[in-house]
Amino acid sequence: MSRTLALAVATIALTAPATPVAAAPADRQSQFRAAAAEFGVPEPVLLAVSYLESRWDANGGRPSTAAGYGPMHLTDVVAANAGGSHHDEGSEDPRGDDSRETLTPEPGEGDFDSPALRTIELAADLTGTDASVLRSDPAANIRGGAALLAHYQRPFGSSADPGAWYGAVARYSGATAAGAASAFADEVFSVLRQGVERVTDDGHRVRLAPAPSARPDTAAVTRLGLRGPVAGPTECPATVACDWIPAPYQQLPDNDYGNHDKANRPSSAKIDYIVIHDTEATWDTTLRLVQDPTYVSWHYSLRSADGLIAQHVPVKDVGWHAGNWYVNAKSIGLEHEGFAAQGSWYTEAMYRTSAKLVRHLAAKHRIPLDRAHIIGHDNVPGTTPATVRGMHWDPGPYWDWGHYFDLLGAPLRAEVGPWSPLVMVKPDYASNRPAFFGCDTANPSALCPARGSTSVILRAAPSDDAPLLVDVGLRPDGSPATMHISDHGSRVDTGQRFAVAERRGAWTAVWYLGQKGWLRSRDVVPVRGTLLTPVSRTIPVYGRAYPEAAVYPAHIPVQNVVPLQYTLSARQWYSVGLDTSSEYYWAASFDPANHAVVRGEKYYEIQFGHRVAFVKADDVRLVRWG
């Protein structure tokens, strides 16, 4: 236990209930009702807080990316075993620019003393329940969350009016800033007023009836003693809490500099992408690293427990985050707080704040809300054949893209009739549970806990027993992909679009890395869009859309246009995500006056495998469908 939390617990002199607690009800709805009654918390408040943390899911007793367990997201950072940053792992150069030396960041140390990451200790003292039970037993977890809310409500007095619990809800967020605490509480009361009903990941139907007349006492936040916002030139929507914590643009020895590049986007270059990352580090570690001039950078960080946003790099400038300089130069990078990403889940609070930010940025920069433009780090291609294997795989197969696009106001759904030659991947997240392994570092071969996933596995034939596909970029020896949690060599994700190669019974084959990849037809929906195919027998595929040598000015070194180890063959079709002139942003010196953009021939972005890729416009012909 941290010294701060130990002193707080001792001061309050918390004791376990004097009378035995009755056995918990079997169904989740009744568990909420019983816990609310036991601790004097209005049931709608308890339900709404839990929904914003976990959407009432148990998540198999596994921790969230912010060390939270169970429906009430009780945090236990020690049990969750936080690690460093994902930028420290693998061989990916976050900058991804051949004109600069490879960037190899130093690992960050974890921080485990924040009370917001150890609420399970306080809940254990309040309820007399062992922390291991609070982590694994949903009913006990709900009791622990109700006890915390009741504890946080004590300064405000007991009340049956949900609105009187606004201050306690704000405190439950764990926020240290008043704006973040208020934003969390506002979202809780928005859920409470609107109502919601769903079936949890372990099969319980839970309902929160709408309470449109709930009037929260928002002034209660002023009594929590939290800090104000960190002022600065943030670019966030007004409905979120947003701090300015700048990444340093600083000259370093040996004519080097860090940790991002000055630019003038979108005037200098159009922004085409928003890239979703998972930090695999705690909040304090994440902020410390991005303020290190020798480290890497991204535009925004989002905190898991309450959805607080910190902006680090102006959107007009280029962050070093995606491992591909072409994508970096044309993207905005969002890092979502988290660690133990192998098998973890993301809070509803962070999903909602992230969606508000992405919706705001997409509207401002005219970025379409689809999976060709809103991509994961795992969808960014390697720049050359040598870098393909080292590219990162966050935010991973448990980021719920379908739910995220619902929150973006751009739901993923069928667009045309059933026989479209173009389909979009759309499994049922809750019931789609691939048998991954590799989530437990102590037992790497053990299967991951069964849980909903955004990813669908492709087979070499229309059978559940057929081999997985081959990704020669990941496995040059030609061996098939595996079901390891990080191996996406035979995997598609929700929202991605592919051309149909064949249909057979309950199966559909799509073109994927030059092969037919089979998946169940129930996991795709028909959509409209543009497809392309080669005009010759085979054409090269690229990991970046760089200009041809003839258009470079004399003072800018020509960047080689190096094909990846894949080819696209005649009679194969792929979904077009966007078209663009080729671009190279020359930024190899500290003085931005020397930076320049070189433009050349036209390319198309395609969904080629799990990652996107690029082909030259002159090499293909297009067909528009629907």
Side-chain angles (χ1 to χ4, degrees):
M1 181 181 290
S2 67
R3 183 174 182 273
T4 302
L5 185 57
L7 289 172
V9 172
T11 302
I12 300 167
L14 300 170
T15 59
T19 56
V21 178
D27 68 285
R28 189 70 38 83
Q29 186 87 51
S30 297
Q31 290 165 0
F32 280 109
R33 185 174 301 115
E38 180 183 355
F39 293 96
V41 182
E43 185 181 346
V45 171
L46 185 62
L47 283 164
V49 169
S50 177
Y51 185 85
L52 199 62
E53 295 285 22
S54 68
R55 299 176 79 208
W56 305 322
D57 287 339
N59 288 293
R62 298 285 297 177
S64 76
T65 58
Y69 290 83
M72 297 304 300
H73 197 255
L74 302 180
T75 56
D76 191 342
V77 69
V78 177
N81 190 22
S85 166
H86 75 281
H87 289 299
D88 310 328
E89 300 173 354
S91 59
E92 181 189 271
D93 173 4
R95 195 163 44 206
D97 182 9
D98 295 347
S99 71
R100 308 275 298 275
E101 291 186 8
T102 298
L103 185 67
T104 53
E106 290 296 321
E109 295 295 328
D111 48 293
F112 306 131
D113 287 334
S114 169
L117 292 175
R118 305 178 74 149
T119 61
I120 206 158
E121 297 169 3
L122 181 54
D125 282 307
L126 286 165
T127 62
T129 304
D130 189 80
S132 63
V133 178
L134 291 170
R135 289 194 298 267
S136 60
D137 183 342
N141 186 275
I142 292 168
R143 284 189 70 244
L148 283 180
L149 276 169
H151 172 66
Y152 296 147
Q153 181 64 18
R154 287 177 186 174
F156 304 102
S158 62
S159 176
D161 176 15
W165 286 70
Y166 186 89
V169 171
R171 174 68 77 187
Y172 195 96
S173 71
T176 56
S182 293
F184 177 87
D186 288 344
E187 200 67 34
V188 167
F189 276 87
S190 174
V191 170
L192 192 152
R193 284 191 294 268
Q194 296 173 8
V196 65
E197 181 175 1
R198 70 182 295 266
V199 176
T200 66
D201 62 349
D202 52 354
H204 293 267
R205 180 169 294 280
V206 181
R207 181 174 185 267
L208 169 61
S213 61
R215 294 292 180 266
D217 178 14
T218 56
V221 171
T222 61
R223 299 172 58 186
L224 298 179
L226 304 177
R227 68 164 174 82
V230 181
T234 57
E235 301 163 276
C236 294
T239 55
V240 302
C242 192
D243 286 344
W244 175 248
I245 302 177
Y249 187 69
Q250 184 173 319
Q251 196 151 19
L252 302 171
D254 301 322
N255 294 318
D256 198 7
Y257 65 93
N259 63 8
H260 58 281
D261 278 293
K262 294 294 184 182
N264 190 29
R265 306 184 307 176
S267 297
S268 58
K270 185 179 182 298
I271 299 172
D272 284 328
Y273 303 103
I274 297 175
V275 182
I276 304 298
H277 299 260
D278 166 30
T279 66
E280 296 182 37
T282 58
W283 182 252
D284 289 344
T285 298
T286 298
L287 298 189
R288 174 168 50 81
L289 291 173
V290 80
Q291 293 177 87
D292 180 351
T294 67
Y295 200 65
V296 297
S297 60
W298 48 92
H299 295 86
Y300 297 89
S301 296
L302 292 96
R303 190 160 62 190
S304 181
D306 58 2
L308 172 67
I309 298 171
Q311 184 173 358
H312 313 297
V313 177
V315 170
K316 70 179 184 65
D317 295 334
V318 177
W320 301 346
H321 59 94
N324 182 315
W325 182 243
Y326 175 80
V327 174
N328 278 341
K330 299 181 71 62
S331 70
I332 302 168
L334 274 60
E335 289 277 4
H336 297 76
E337 180 200 9
F339 47 82
Q342 297 181 354
S344 290
W345 50 282
Y346 300 84
T347 66
E348 181 69 1
M350 187 164 64
Y351 272 129
R352 289 185 172 225
T353 301
S354 179
K356 289 179 180 180
L357 176 60
V358 168
R359 192 164 61 240
H360 170 80
L361 295 171
K364 182 176 181 180
H365 296 282
R366 299 182 181 180
I367 302 171
L369 292 174
D370 60 41
R371 289 285 279 114
H373 298 81
I374 313 301
I375 61 176
H377 193 176
D378 56 339
N379 305 134
V380 177
T383 53
T384 66
T387 65
V388 169
R389 294 185 71 182
M391 297 297 288
H392 289 157
W393 59 279
D394 59 298
Y398 300 126
W399 178 270
D400 191 344
W401 285 107
H403 179 54
Y404 193 58
F405 271 80
D406 286 344
L407 294 173
L408 286 172
L412 304 173
R413 55 195 176 196
E415 298 171 350
V416 291
W419 296 107
S420 173
L422 187 64
V423 293
M424 179 173 65
V425 180
K426 194 177 184 302
D428 177 71
Y429 183 90
S431 61
N432 177 51
R433 301 188 172 199
F436 296 127
F437 68 91
C439 294
D440 186 349
T441 55
N443 187 8
S445 62
L447 288 179
C448 301
R451 55 162 298 133
S453 174
T454 196
S455 298
V456 176
I457 306 304
L458 297 180
R459 301 283 175 177
S463 168
D464 292 322
D465 299 325
L468 303 186
L469 301 183
V470 174
D471 184 338
V472 295
L474 300 181
R475 284 185 164 73
D477 63 359
S479 60
T482 72
M483 291 296 291
H484 192 279
I485 188 77
S486 66
D487 188 344
H488 53 70
S490 188
R491 187 182 302 177
V492 293
D493 271 0
T494 298
Q496 293 178 332
R497 296 176 180 230
F498 294 90
V500 175
E502 187 179 348
R503 288 184 171 96
R504 195 182 303 175
W507 292 82
T508 297
V510 298
W511 288 114
Y512 185 95
L513 298 177
Q515 307 158 78
K516 288 183 180 181
W518 291 89
L519 71 167
R520 292 280 184 177
S521 300
R522 69 188 178 216
D523 292 329
V524 295
V525 294
V527 291
R528 62 174 61 91
T530 301
L531 300 94
L532 60 73
T533 193
V535 294
S536 57
R537 187 172 180 179
T538 60
I539 63 170
V541 177
Y542 302 90
R544 51 194 178 185
Y546 274 180
E548 63 276 24
V551 300
Y552 282 81
H555 70 286
I556 297 179
V558 172
Q559 300 299 301
N560 292 328
V561 181
V562 181
L564 299 178
Q565 51 268 73
Y566 314 101
T567 57
L568 200 162
S569 301
R571 294 188 295 279
Q572 294 180 9
W573 294 82
Y574 291 87
S575 173
V576 176
L578 60 92
D579 61 82
T580 181
S581 62
S582 54
E583 289 184 7
Y584 173 63
Y585 183 47
W586 169 243
S589 64
F590 179 71
D591 184 359
N594 296 325
H595 298 178
V597 179
V598 182
R599 293 185 175 87
E601 62 186 317
K602 186 176 180 178
Y603 281 75
Y604 292 107
E605 178 219 73
I606 60 172
Q607 189 67 58
F608 188 56
H610 186 83
R611 302 185 188 272
V612 300
F614 302 93
V615 294
K616 294 182 178 182
D618 289 344
D619 288 342
V620 299
R621 64 182 178 89
L622 274 62
V623 172
R624 174 72 185 174
W625 176 262

